[in-house]
Amino acid sequence: MAKRHLIGIGGVGMSALATALVKLGDEVTGADRTLGTPNIKFLESLGVRVFPDDGSGVDGATDEVIVSTAIEETNAGLKKAKELGIPVTHRAKALARTLGAYKLVAVVGTCGKSTVTAMLGHVLAECGLDPMCVNGANVLGWEGAVRFGKGQYAVAEVDESDKSLVAFKPYATVVTNASADHYSKEEMDEVFDAFVKDLPGPLIDGREEGSGKKDQGLVIRNQGSGEEWVTPLPGKHNLQNAALAAKMALALGCKCDDIKKALATFRGVERRLQLISQPLNLSTAQLPFVYDDYAHNPEKLHAMWTTLAEKHPEGICVIWRPHGYAPLRKMMDALAAMFVETVRPQDALLLLPVYDAGGTTDRSVNSDALLSEVEKRGGGGQRWVLIPDLDAAYQWCRAHKGEYAAFVTCGARDPGLPVLAKRLSEM
């Protein structure tokens, strides 16, 4: 049994890897700047010991230290590992090695990876293939972001943000889409094209083919069959997600009827348009709907907003925190244009400051700059509110709760956003 130490273990990708390592028999410890989050509490329930991010969790008994690209060279645990001569491995390489005994079905793309991974894992499980699944988000009914399986296939979300996907040698791949996010669309297309070039198994490429979706209702069509397959998740983007998962399941040998039944029973992914609460009596209740979502780039925010706007024509209030200084700087123009186009007069956007994860990043831009860009594009008025912190956001929402049909907490990284959603559900 190897003893592996994960730095930044509370993050969605690292906590998923930690869970998979535990389920496959390794001893796992970790460190994080923020303790006591839901992800860390879950890992501790599995027997994972989590230390402060001060190097105290690394010692002579540690066989390997695992890091992501976000971990800087000055990190105390990383420095200690190097001093002790302990091997240091990137998360992507560690995950690829962990899943090496399986036929890997990799899910890549700019948007929709977590939902497609969860849908595909659920469908393959319901079709009797018992896959091992490692997602980038927690899935309802799984052990956090992991489904432990003993079949021949593994389904995993593979991240393109730092191009570490080159560590994987998949058997089959789903490419959900490609758009500008961490890199330009052209660069993303080049990365994905290289990734799928020598696949031995099937490729389902959402960039090249129609999704098979219908515009009305939560229905997809299997091309050529004439059958309607229902998914309970809202939004046109989820019709695309379901179609991609269904096509890969077909390519792996699942039967149409089994896939259709499986899609109808999919429960969803945490923080992907997750309904936290709703009024018990829609005609009389004063409490609004509350949702929590991970959306952090223009495409995801637009998909979230338009889906909920259709469901709640009376108006929604979205509390959004940019997940990093560099991403905000890169996406500033696209975000401003999207918000001006998407936010209706009856809606509100509460802008929190950028989530600061520490380190030596350039902090010269923040949410006030985004608001300035929005106003330059003609988006002035009371729909846009700068909010200093989560508690102030709660107080604002509580004071205005009768004005909106739904409240949405939104953004990546910040573990306080789902906590705020729970508070809003009780106001």
Side-chain angles (χ1 to χ4, degrees), residues 314-317 346-348 396-397 399-407:
E314 311 95 321
I316 63 175
C317 174
Q346 64 267 42
D347 297 334
W396 193 97
C397 294
H400 295 81
K401 74 174 185 178
E403 301 173 24
Y404 302 97
F407 288 86

Side-chain angles (χ1 to χ4, degrees), residues 16-40:
L17 174 59
T19 303
L21 290 171
V22 170
K23 299 304 292 184
L24 293 171
D26 282 334
E27 180 183 354
V28 177
T29 63
D32 204 271
R33 288 172 176 165
T34 306
L35 303 180
T37 64
N39 272 355
I40 287 178

Side-chain angles (χ1 to χ4, degrees), residues 19-89:
T19 303
L21 290 171
V22 170
K23 299 304 292 184
L24 293 171
D26 282 334
E27 180 183 354
V28 177
T29 63
D32 204 271
R33 288 172 176 165
T34 306
L35 303 180
T37 64
N39 272 355
I40 287 178
K41 289 179 179 179
F42 170 72
L43 291 173
E44 289 173 336
S45 75
L46 298 180
V48 176
R49 187 177 179 189
V50 182
F51 296 82
D53 194 20
D54 57 7
S56 58
V58 179
D59 57 31
T62 304
D63 295 305
E64 179 183 43
V65 169
I66 299 173
V67 299
S68 70
T69 305
I71 304 303
E72 297 179 322
E73 291 295 321
T74 55
N75 179 274
L78 179 55
K79 289 172 66 177
K80 190 171 180 181
K82 292 181 177 179
E83 290 169 1
L84 295 174
I86 299 170
V88 177
T89 305

Side-chain angles (χ1 to χ4, degrees), residues 305-306 308-309 312-318 339 342-350 382-384 396 403-406:
W305 207 299
T306 54
L308 293 182
H312 302 290
E314 311 95 321
I316 63 175
C317 174
V318 175
F339 281 132
T342 307
V343 180
R344 306 166 299 174
Q346 64 267 42
D347 297 334
L349 172 65
L350 274 59
Q382 297 302 312
R383 294 177 294 168
W384 324 98
W396 193 97
E403 301 173 24
Y404 302 97

Side-chain angles (χ1 to χ4, degrees), residues 170-208:
Y171 167 74
T173 295
V174 176
V175 182
T176 60
N177 45 57
S179 59
D181 189 350
H182 303 284
Y183 308 97
S184 69
K185 182 182 185 306
E186 292 74 20
E187 193 169 0
M188 279 289 82
D189 278 326
E190 290 177 3
V191 169
F192 295 145
D193 288 343
F195 185 69
V196 304
K197 183 179 179 182
D198 298 315
L199 286 178
L203 167 65
I204 306 298
D205 196 335
R207 301 172 299 168
E208 297 178 354

Side-chain angles (χ1 to χ4, degrees), residues 220-348:
I220 65 171
R221 284 189 184 276
N222 171 230
Q223 291 179 333
S225 74
E227 294 187 48
E228 291 186 346
W229 299 357
V230 179
T231 173
L233 300 188
K236 294 179 181 179
H237 60 295
N238 278 319
L239 304 184
Q240 168 82 4
N241 293 335
L244 294 171
K247 289 173 184 176
M248 178 55 77
L250 280 171
L252 295 178
C254 296
K255 297 179 180 178
C256 288
D257 286 346
D258 293 337
I259 298 171
K260 178 180 178 181
K261 292 175 184 177
L263 282 176
T265 62
F266 178 64
R267 295 173 57 191
V269 181
E270 289 185 13
R271 306 214 64 224
R272 301 305 190 273
L273 273 182
Q274 183 181 2
L275 179 60
I276 304 300
S277 68
Q278 67 183 65
L280 296 176
N281 187 325
L282 297 181
S283 62
T284 62
Q286 295 299 310
L287 290 175
F289 287 79
V290 177
Y291 301 86
D292 185 37
D293 195 75
Y294 195 74
H296 56 281
N297 66 26
E299 291 79 13
K300 295 175 182 179
L301 285 161
H302 176 75
M304 174 277 297
W305 207 299
T306 54
T307 296
L308 293 182
E310 183 176 354
K311 186 175 178 65
H312 302 290
E314 311 95 321
I316 63 175
C317 174
V318 175
I319 306 100
W320 182 62
R321 186 192 291 281
H323 68 288
Y325 297 98
L328 176 60
R329 186 178 292 105
K330 180 178 179 60
M331 297 186 293
M332 184 76 70
D333 289 343
L335 283 167
M338 182 277 302
F339 281 132
V340 170
E341 175 189 348
T342 307
V343 180
R344 306 166 299 174
Q346 64 267 42
D347 297 334

Side-chain angles (χ1 to χ4, degrees), residues 376-398:
K376 286 179 185 177
R377 295 170 182 266
Q382 297 302 312
R383 294 177 294 168
W384 324 98
V385 184
L386 284 175
I387 293 289
D389 53 44
L390 293 171
D391 188 60
Y394 171 77
Q395 297 300 337
W396 193 97
C397 294
R398 186 174 182 181

